[in-house]
Amino acid sequence: MGSADDRFREMFYEEARELLISLEEGLMELERRQGDRAHLDKTFRAAHSLKGASAMVGLGSIAEFTHGIEAVLERIRIGSLAVDSDIITTLLESRDHLAAMIEGEAADSPIPGSGHLSQRLAALLTPPKPAPPPAAPAQPAASPAPVPTPPAASKPPAPKATAPEPPPRKPEPPAPEPAPTPEPPAAEAAAKPKRSRRKPEAEPKPKAPARPKAAERKTMPAAEEVEQGGPNESLYRIRFAPGPDVLKRGVNLLGVFDELRELGTLDVQADVEAVPTLDSFDPESCYLSWTCTLRTEVEPERLDDVFLFVFEDGAIGVERRLPGGSFEPVETPLLKLPRGTPVSSPPSAIVRPRAAAPAPEAESTPGEPAAAPALKPADAAATNGAARSGAGTPTPAARPHGRIRVDAQQLDDLVGLAGELAVISDNLQGLREVKSASPWGSTLEALLRVSREIRDTTLDLRMVPVDELFSRFPRFVRDQADRTGKEIELRIVGQETRLDRTIVERLGDPMIHLIRNAVDHALEPPEERLEKGKSRVGRITLSAGHEGDRVAIKVEDDGRGLDRERIVRKGIERGLIPYGTPADDPRVVSLIFEPGFSTRDQVSDMSGRGVGLDVVRDSVRALRGSLAVESAPGKGTAFIFRLPLTLALIDGLLIETGGGRYVVPLAQVEECVALGGVTQALSADRPCVTVRGELVPTVSLRGLFGITGTPPARQELLLTRHSGQRVGVAVDRLSGRVQAVIQSLGEGLHGLGRFSGATILGDGSVSLILDLAALVSESRLAENQSRNKPPAGMRAENVR
Amino acid sequence: MTELTADETAEADRAQSFVVFRLGGEGYALEVLRVQEVLDVLSITEVPGASRSLLGVINLRGHVVPVYDLRIPFGLPVDAKPARAPSVLIVETEAGNDSDVTGLLVDRVSDVLEFAPDQVQPSPQLGLGKTTPFVRGLIRHQDAFLLVLDVDRVFSVLATINGEGV
């Protein structure tokens, strides 16, 4: 009930969403690069963190379900389960279900845990086991009824299951041991059947190399049995020295010991050597290290779970007691993680610097969300860890700058304020010109400079890498490929390009639309591609990059390309282009953006391109961008979005018409010509002029706004492009260039498409921002309607 | 939650403050809680093509705010050259939401007065002409009646007018 509790939950949901993204990315990556240890660990950690976090906020069923996922990942991690696309599919579906559960909780309408998926997860765990685990109840956790298996398989069951049997069966559990060596071949083997929906028969392959090694160890368990009371118990000595900042990161060290205690019999000894004298004592630093003796049945890998978070910021060494009483170092996947350490480990207890964890991340996809899971512990550590990293913990290799989460609304407010500040200082600039000799001239100068810098920096805060947009498509393309039975490779280029947050958010749907089109209609099925001499696998490329002051985002495929003949036929049929238009006319391609073009019978008629493309184009226009298409028959098609870097600020032209001042975005104006200098091409009521020999239809702003009175003798014509054609907009006067901070006109005025917003000019007055494209289509509409009406009729109603 | 409701009931028993203003020869009253400030209009930027009731937009300390002329929806005569400079009431569009404000043009703001809830009489169903839907009640004041404005109704009607673009 308490609001603190709510906030806690809110934080959980936020974090969970990030972890879900990370999990999905990890799974996708896992399929592509099976041998990649770092990714596997990252993915596992995402699942593990999610489990921990949900258990912490009391969402038991979510934690339980996540545990199933984690268990499968754990099996992959220790090398006893080979990745194939079926497993990934199951894991991805489980992830989706998990996402639904979490969103359900967030929306207060819990979705029950799915027994079906849990069973599928459990099934993944069982095949390599020779016998169904009879010792399932080993895990007393309240598991949902239909899923007794996953918890059992993931944790210590291996030895347990075999416990009643004679020692020779023991080779099974040590399988994890060979992880580093046999992995590459295993990965290769598994990589081949990439898309094939094969049942996990590939199973034995990765394990084959494991056998000999396991055999070497075979003797040990038997001996241990004699040494130690329990049948499968081992004695571990764990040296654990957390970094000095571990407490500041909020790690509960007692929890670590509690977890260890759950594994078996624990004895802990603290080393207080490092505790300084009182005057240099920092109560928030951890000076202690511990030596733990643990007698347990579980595999050493299980210890990873316990030390997962502490590990990043400390040193841990694990040794197992050998029959003779001496200790040998144990390497778990986590402990092995940093370098490809050879199996023969250093003689002394291993002290592992934590640089380990961040390193693989850096090498993984450079995208931002990918780094999400590491964000909380590692980042926090990076910020205050650098100064006082203790003996065993070298500073992490230059981690990227710390990040904080900011409320989007506050950010927008800040941007607004910064814009206002810039305007106010512009006003001051004007004042200064009045009294040029005033003593505060230099102060004003400084104020101007600072306020401009504040504005720029603030605008920059809104910028995010397009990767936030791109990163959701690998999964999407995978699903689409599955759905259509096509083989598709997705390439992503330039994901570090930064763009306004709002643009990135609103570009999602248009891109999904284009990608779906590409998969459904542009890319050929594998056989057809082979026939055409193309590679079997179709390719879709998403790329982003700068083009002058704009960002270009491209969705490209190497499929069929647009069928111009058909588009022309269709266009003529619908009266959009004149009869006899050749297929190479530049107008042809723009036809696919016509509303409703080819929505019906499209699939057979023109390979479906153009379905709702007008909607895509409109949404890009709303972002003050443009959409272009390039296509070569048989080679493929590219859709190119060209977008402004930011939505908050535009370069504009200040114009005047009939006493009113308006701003026209510079990006919409190709050229300005004096109307006096051009000749009226046709009679007066057909407003066309010739500009350097080209016939250009014109729209009069006075006419559209219903302004009476005589225009000045010398009007200006703004040339813009509309549906690939040049159109002129006549205005009274050009008054110069302005930088405008755009403000929305508010909901009440949404109906007025001709204005894309308003801005406050240097003198404090409000000026409306014209949308030339909307103005032109409006006048076109008015023209069409006036065919049935007296010319002035329709406009008159709209005019005050 | 329950406490809050109790507070609200208590609030309802107490006297409420109203901004009293003149518009087209009538006296109006509007809860002071909904009024952010009263401005003297300096310059209004016209919005060509908008509804007639939208006078234009103004710069309210860096924010672009629309200003409406209530005389059009109220069916009051609009004199082209008003005798004195009109005032603009900056009104919160939704109760308790200070981020969204709208300007309403009035002839003159005269007072801020307190009235007890029982001083507000229900408005008659007939006889108020076009203003009927916008009037929540009547207050007898100085031998005349003040029309208590229902601003939420006003805004919802203005929104539909805008939607139609007339």
Side-chain angles (χ1 to χ4, degrees), chain A residues 55-92:
Chain A
M56 205 150 61
V57 291
L59 297 172
S61 61
I62 290 180
E64 204 60 51
F65 185 76
T66 318
H67 181 82
I69 299 177
E70 187 194 346
V72 174
L73 286 170
E74 170 72 6
R75 290 298 297 272
I76 297 172
R77 212 155 79 113
I78 61 174
S80 68
L81 189 62
V83 177
D84 66 13
S85 85
D86 279 337
I87 293 180
I88 296 292
T89 303
T90 305
L91 286 172
L92 281 172

Short mmCIF file of all heavy atoms in Angstrom, two decimals, chain A residues 55-92:
data_model
loop_
_atom_site.label_atom_id
_atom_site.label_comp_id
_atom_site.label_asym_id
_atom_site.label_seq_id
_atom_site.Cartn_x
_atom_site.Cartn_y
_atom_site.Cartn_z
N ALA A 55 11.90 -12.03 -7.24
CA ALA A 55 11.72 -12.67 -5.94
C ALA A 55 11.76 -11.61 -4.84
O ALA A 55 11.01 -11.67 -3.87
CB ALA A 55 12.81 -13.71 -5.71
N MET A 56 12.59 -10.62 -5.07
CA MET A 56 12.78 -9.59 -4.04
C MET A 56 11.52 -8.75 -3.85
O MET A 56 11.21 -8.32 -2.76
CB MET A 56 13.94 -8.69 -4.46
CG MET A 56 14.61 -8.01 -3.31
SD MET A 56 16.33 -7.74 -3.71
CE MET A 56 16.23 -6.69 -5.12
N VAL A 57 10.79 -8.50 -4.93
CA VAL A 57 9.57 -7.70 -4.78
C VAL A 57 8.36 -8.60 -4.53
O VAL A 57 7.23 -8.14 -4.58
CB VAL A 57 9.29 -6.80 -6.00
CG1 VAL A 57 10.32 -5.71 -6.09
CG2 VAL A 57 9.23 -7.60 -7.29
N GLY A 58 8.63 -9.86 -4.31
CA GLY A 58 7.55 -10.74 -3.91
C GLY A 58 6.72 -11.29 -5.05
O GLY A 58 5.59 -11.73 -4.86
N LEU A 59 7.25 -11.27 -6.26
CA LEU A 59 6.52 -11.84 -7.38
C LEU A 59 7.02 -13.27 -7.60
O LEU A 59 7.80 -13.55 -8.51
CB LEU A 59 6.72 -10.98 -8.64
CG LEU A 59 6.17 -9.57 -8.51
CD1 LEU A 59 6.55 -8.71 -9.69
CD2 LEU A 59 4.65 -9.62 -8.36
N GLY A 60 6.56 -14.13 -6.74
CA GLY A 60 7.07 -15.49 -6.72
C GLY A 60 6.87 -16.25 -8.01
O GLY A 60 7.77 -16.95 -8.48
N SER A 61 5.69 -16.09 -8.62
CA SER A 61 5.42 -16.90 -9.80
C SER A 61 6.33 -16.48 -10.95
O SER A 61 6.74 -17.29 -11.77
CB SER A 61 3.96 -16.78 -10.20
OG SER A 61 3.64 -15.45 -10.50
N ILE A 62 6.62 -15.17 -10.99
CA ILE A 62 7.53 -14.70 -12.05
C ILE A 62 8.93 -15.24 -11.79
O ILE A 62 9.60 -15.73 -12.70
CB ILE A 62 7.52 -13.16 -12.10
CG1 ILE A 62 6.17 -12.69 -12.64
CG2 ILE A 62 8.65 -12.64 -12.96
CD1 ILE A 62 6.03 -11.19 -12.74
N ALA A 63 9.34 -15.16 -10.55
CA ALA A 63 10.66 -15.67 -10.22
C ALA A 63 10.76 -17.14 -10.58
O ALA A 63 11.75 -17.61 -11.15
CB ALA A 63 10.93 -15.47 -8.73
N GLU A 64 9.69 -17.86 -10.29
CA GLU A 64 9.67 -19.30 -10.54
C GLU A 64 9.80 -19.60 -12.03
O GLU A 64 10.57 -20.44 -12.46
CB GLU A 64 8.34 -19.87 -10.01
CG GLU A 64 8.42 -21.33 -9.68
CD GLU A 64 9.48 -21.60 -8.61
OE1 GLU A 64 9.44 -20.91 -7.56
OE2 GLU A 64 10.32 -22.47 -8.84
N PHE A 65 9.05 -18.85 -12.81
CA PHE A 65 9.07 -19.07 -14.25
C PHE A 65 10.44 -18.69 -14.82
O PHE A 65 10.99 -19.38 -15.66
CB PHE A 65 7.97 -18.25 -14.93
CG PHE A 65 7.84 -18.52 -16.39
CD1 PHE A 65 7.23 -19.69 -16.83
CD2 PHE A 65 8.34 -17.63 -17.32
CE1 PHE A 65 7.12 -19.96 -18.18
CE2 PHE A 65 8.24 -17.89 -18.67
CZ PHE A 65 7.62 -19.06 -19.10
N THR A 66 10.97 -17.58 -14.33
CA THR A 66 12.28 -17.16 -14.79
C THR A 66 13.32 -18.21 -14.47
O THR A 66 14.27 -18.43 -15.21
CB THR A 66 12.70 -15.83 -14.12
OG1 THR A 66 11.57 -14.98 -14.10
CG2 THR A 66 13.82 -15.17 -14.87
N HIS A 67 13.09 -18.85 -13.35
CA HIS A 67 14.03 -19.88 -12.95
C HIS A 67 14.14 -20.96 -14.01
O HIS A 67 15.22 -21.47 -14.30
CB HIS A 67 13.62 -20.48 -11.62
CG HIS A 67 14.58 -21.52 -11.15
ND1 HIS A 67 15.74 -21.19 -10.49
CD2 HIS A 67 14.58 -22.86 -11.30
CE1 HIS A 67 16.41 -22.30 -10.25
NE2 HIS A 67 15.73 -23.33 -10.72
N GLY A 68 13.00 -21.30 -14.63
CA GLY A 68 13.01 -22.30 -15.69
C GLY A 68 13.90 -21.87 -16.84
O GLY A 68 14.68 -22.67 -17.37
N ILE A 69 13.79 -20.61 -17.21
CA ILE A 69 14.62 -20.08 -18.30
C ILE A 69 16.09 -20.13 -17.89
O ILE A 69 16.95 -20.58 -18.64
CB ILE A 69 14.21 -18.62 -18.62
CG1 ILE A 69 12.75 -18.59 -19.06
CG2 ILE A 69 15.13 -18.04 -19.68
CD1 ILE A 69 12.24 -17.19 -19.32
N GLU A 70 16.30 -19.67 -16.67
CA GLU A 70 17.67 -19.63 -16.18
C GLU A 70 18.29 -21.03 -16.17
O GLU A 70 19.45 -21.22 -16.52
CB GLU A 70 17.66 -19.05 -14.76
CG GLU A 70 19.04 -18.79 -14.20
CD GLU A 70 19.00 -18.55 -12.71
OE1 GLU A 70 17.90 -18.32 -12.17
OE2 GLU A 70 20.07 -18.59 -12.09
N ALA A 71 17.46 -22.00 -15.79
CA ALA A 71 17.96 -23.36 -15.69
C ALA A 71 18.44 -23.85 -17.06
O ALA A 71 19.49 -24.48 -17.18
CB ALA A 71 16.87 -24.28 -15.15
N VAL A 72 17.65 -23.55 -18.09
CA VAL A 72 18.04 -23.97 -19.43
C VAL A 72 19.34 -23.28 -19.83
O VAL A 72 20.27 -23.90 -20.35
CB VAL A 72 16.92 -23.66 -20.44
CG1 VAL A 72 17.40 -23.96 -21.85
CG2 VAL A 72 15.68 -24.47 -20.11
N LEU A 73 19.40 -21.99 -19.55
CA LEU A 73 20.61 -21.24 -19.90
C LEU A 73 21.82 -21.80 -19.16
O LEU A 73 22.91 -21.89 -19.70
CB LEU A 73 20.43 -19.76 -19.56
CG LEU A 73 19.52 -18.99 -20.52
CD1 LEU A 73 19.21 -17.62 -19.95
CD2 LEU A 73 20.18 -18.85 -21.88
N GLU A 74 21.57 -22.18 -17.93
CA GLU A 74 22.65 -22.73 -17.13
C GLU A 74 23.17 -24.01 -17.78
O GLU A 74 24.38 -24.22 -17.87
CB GLU A 74 22.12 -23.01 -15.71
CG GLU A 74 23.05 -23.81 -14.82
CD GLU A 74 24.27 -23.01 -14.36
OE1 GLU A 74 24.31 -21.80 -14.66
OE2 GLU A 74 25.16 -23.60 -13.75
N ARG A 75 22.25 -24.80 -18.28
CA ARG A 75 22.66 -26.05 -18.93
C ARG A 75 23.49 -25.75 -20.17
O ARG A 75 24.44 -26.45 -20.48
CB ARG A 75 21.45 -26.89 -19.32
CG ARG A 75 20.72 -27.47 -18.12
CD ARG A 75 21.62 -28.42 -17.35
NE ARG A 75 22.00 -29.55 -18.16
CZ ARG A 75 21.29 -30.66 -18.25
NH1 ARG A 75 20.21 -30.81 -17.54
NH2 ARG A 75 21.68 -31.64 -19.03
N ILE A 76 23.09 -24.72 -20.88
CA ILE A 76 23.86 -24.34 -22.07
C ILE A 76 25.24 -23.86 -21.63
O ILE A 76 26.25 -24.17 -22.23
CB ILE A 76 23.12 -23.23 -22.84
CG1 ILE A 76 21.78 -23.76 -23.34
CG2 ILE A 76 23.97 -22.73 -24.01
CD1 ILE A 76 20.90 -22.70 -23.96
N ARG A 77 25.22 -23.16 -20.53
CA ARG A 77 26.45 -22.56 -20.04
C ARG A 77 27.47 -23.60 -19.63
O ARG A 77 28.66 -23.47 -19.90
CB ARG A 77 26.12 -21.68 -18.84
CG ARG A 77 27.00 -20.48 -18.68
CD ARG A 77 26.29 -19.42 -17.91
NE ARG A 77 26.31 -19.71 -16.49
CZ ARG A 77 26.99 -18.98 -15.60
NH1 ARG A 77 27.67 -17.94 -15.99
NH2 ARG A 77 26.96 -19.27 -14.33
N ILE A 78 27.00 -24.63 -18.99
CA ILE A 78 27.95 -25.64 -18.56
C ILE A 78 28.23 -26.64 -19.68
O ILE A 78 28.96 -27.60 -19.50
CB ILE A 78 27.49 -26.38 -17.29
CG1 ILE A 78 26.17 -27.10 -17.54
CG2 ILE A 78 27.35 -25.41 -16.13
CD1 ILE A 78 25.72 -27.95 -16.38
N GLY A 79 27.62 -26.39 -20.81
CA GLY A 79 27.97 -27.17 -21.98
C GLY A 79 27.23 -28.49 -22.11
O GLY A 79 27.56 -29.32 -22.92
N SER A 80 26.21 -28.71 -21.32
CA SER A 80 25.51 -29.98 -21.42
C SER A 80 24.26 -29.87 -22.28
O SER A 80 23.47 -30.78 -22.38
CB SER A 80 25.15 -30.50 -20.03
OG SER A 80 24.18 -29.68 -19.44
N LEU A 81 24.08 -28.71 -22.91
CA LEU A 81 22.93 -28.56 -23.80
C LEU A 81 23.42 -27.73 -24.97
O LEU A 81 24.00 -26.66 -24.78
CB LEU A 81 21.81 -27.84 -23.05
CG LEU A 81 20.45 -27.75 -23.72
CD1 LEU A 81 19.89 -29.14 -23.94
CD2 LEU A 81 19.50 -26.93 -22.87
N ALA A 82 23.22 -28.26 -26.17
CA ALA A 82 23.70 -27.52 -27.35
C ALA A 82 22.60 -26.61 -27.84
O ALA A 82 21.44 -26.99 -27.87
CB ALA A 82 24.10 -28.50 -28.44
N VAL A 83 22.98 -25.44 -28.22
CA VAL A 83 21.99 -24.48 -28.69
C VAL A 83 21.53 -24.86 -30.08
O VAL A 83 22.33 -25.16 -30.95
CB VAL A 83 22.63 -23.08 -28.75
CG1 VAL A 83 21.63 -22.08 -29.30
CG2 VAL A 83 23.11 -22.66 -27.39
N ASP A 84 20.24 -24.90 -30.29
CA ASP A 84 19.73 -24.96 -31.66
C ASP A 84 18.54 -24.03 -31.74
O ASP A 84 18.10 -23.45 -30.75
CB ASP A 84 19.39 -26.39 -32.07
CG ASP A 84 18.23 -26.96 -31.29
OD1 ASP A 84 17.54 -26.18 -30.60
OD2 ASP A 84 18.01 -28.17 -31.35
N SER A 85 18.03 -23.89 -32.94
CA SER A 85 17.03 -22.83 -33.10
C SER A 85 15.72 -23.18 -32.38
O SER A 85 14.95 -22.30 -32.02
CB SER A 85 16.81 -22.52 -34.57
OG SER A 85 15.89 -23.39 -35.13
N ASP A 86 15.49 -24.46 -32.14
CA ASP A 86 14.29 -24.83 -31.38
C ASP A 86 14.38 -24.35 -29.94
O ASP A 86 13.44 -23.82 -29.38
CB ASP A 86 14.11 -26.35 -31.38
CG ASP A 86 13.47 -26.80 -32.68
OD1 ASP A 86 12.80 -25.95 -33.30
OD2 ASP A 86 13.64 -27.96 -33.05
N ILE A 87 15.58 -24.57 -29.40
CA ILE A 87 15.76 -24.14 -28.01
C ILE A 87 15.60 -22.63 -27.91
O ILE A 87 14.92 -22.12 -27.02
CB ILE A 87 17.17 -24.57 -27.51
CG1 ILE A 87 17.21 -26.09 -27.43
CG2 ILE A 87 17.47 -23.94 -26.16
CD1 ILE A 87 18.53 -26.64 -26.95
N ILE A 88 16.21 -21.94 -28.87
CA ILE A 88 16.11 -20.48 -28.85
C ILE A 88 14.66 -20.06 -28.99
O ILE A 88 14.19 -19.15 -28.30
CB ILE A 88 16.98 -19.86 -29.97
CG1 ILE A 88 18.45 -20.16 -29.71
CG2 ILE A 88 16.77 -18.36 -30.04
CD1 ILE A 88 19.05 -19.48 -28.50
N THR A 89 13.93 -20.73 -29.88
CA THR A 89 12.52 -20.38 -30.04
C THR A 89 11.78 -20.55 -28.73
O THR A 89 11.01 -19.69 -28.31
CB THR A 89 11.89 -21.25 -31.14
OG1 THR A 89 12.62 -21.07 -32.33
CG2 THR A 89 10.44 -20.86 -31.36
N THR A 90 12.01 -21.68 -28.08
CA THR A 90 11.33 -21.91 -26.80
C THR A 90 11.71 -20.84 -25.79
O THR A 90 10.86 -20.29 -25.10
CB THR A 90 11.73 -23.29 -26.24
OG1 THR A 90 11.45 -24.27 -27.23
CG2 THR A 90 10.95 -23.60 -24.98
N LEU A 91 13.00 -20.53 -25.76
CA LEU A 91 13.44 -19.52 -24.80
C LEU A 91 12.86 -18.16 -25.13
O LEU A 91 12.45 -17.41 -24.24
CB LEU A 91 14.97 -19.44 -24.77
CG LEU A 91 15.67 -20.62 -24.07
CD1 LEU A 91 17.17 -20.54 -24.27
CD2 LEU A 91 15.33 -20.64 -22.59
N LEU A 92 12.79 -17.86 -26.41
CA LEU A 92 12.23 -16.56 -26.80
C LEU A 92 10.75 -16.50 -26.44
O LEU A 92 10.25 -15.49 -25.94
CB LEU A 92 12.41 -16.32 -28.30
CG LEU A 92 13.81 -15.86 -28.73
CD1 LEU A 92 13.93 -15.84 -30.24
CD2 LEU A 92 14.13 -14.49 -28.17
#
